[in-house]
Amino acid sequence: MAALAAADHTVDQLPLVMGGRYALFGALLVAALLYKDSIVTTALLIGFTFLALVDTVIYWNIAPTRHAVTGLICALFALFFYSQRKVGN
């Protein structure tokens, strides 16, 4: 609660804040896919993986499964896009 107050947020604003966060993540992923660079997409998905794992730790005693599964999915897609990188010119 102190962190919310420090950021001038309230509990009732939290869904809007998180919704904005996830909308931005989705827009970044779409932009990376449209850019068609597998390394950029991989880097973004690794970042998403890290955030999901941090959320897993934060919610460990409450409901970590959704965050852990999201992190795993992002990691798998990161591996896929990394495997699609271009070699050479």
Side-chain angles (χ1 to χ4, degrees), residues 2-86:
L4 286 173
D8 294 325
H9 295 307
T10 60
V11 174
D12 60 316
Q13 292 173 318
L14 193 56
L16 291 173
V17 171
M18 295 306 294
R21 175 185 176 189
Y22 295 136
L24 174 65
F25 291 165
L28 287 172
L29 183 56
V30 168
L33 291 169
L34 291 173
Y35 188 66
K36 297 182 182 178
D37 185 317
S38 61
I39 298 300
V40 170
T41 305
T42 298
L44 186 62
L45 287 164
I46 289 170
F48 291 171
T49 300
F50 175 77
L51 288 173
L53 294 178
V54 168
D55 287 349
T56 299
V57 171
I58 291 170
Y59 288 102
W60 189 257
N61 292 326
I62 302 169
T65 306
R66 273 186 263 156
H67 297 99
V69 169
T70 300
L72 178 62
I73 291 169
C74 288
L76 292 173
F77 274 107
L79 287 171
F80 169 76
F81 281 105
Y82 184 74
S83 73
Q84 301 301 310
R85 72 192 183 286
K86 294 177 183 169

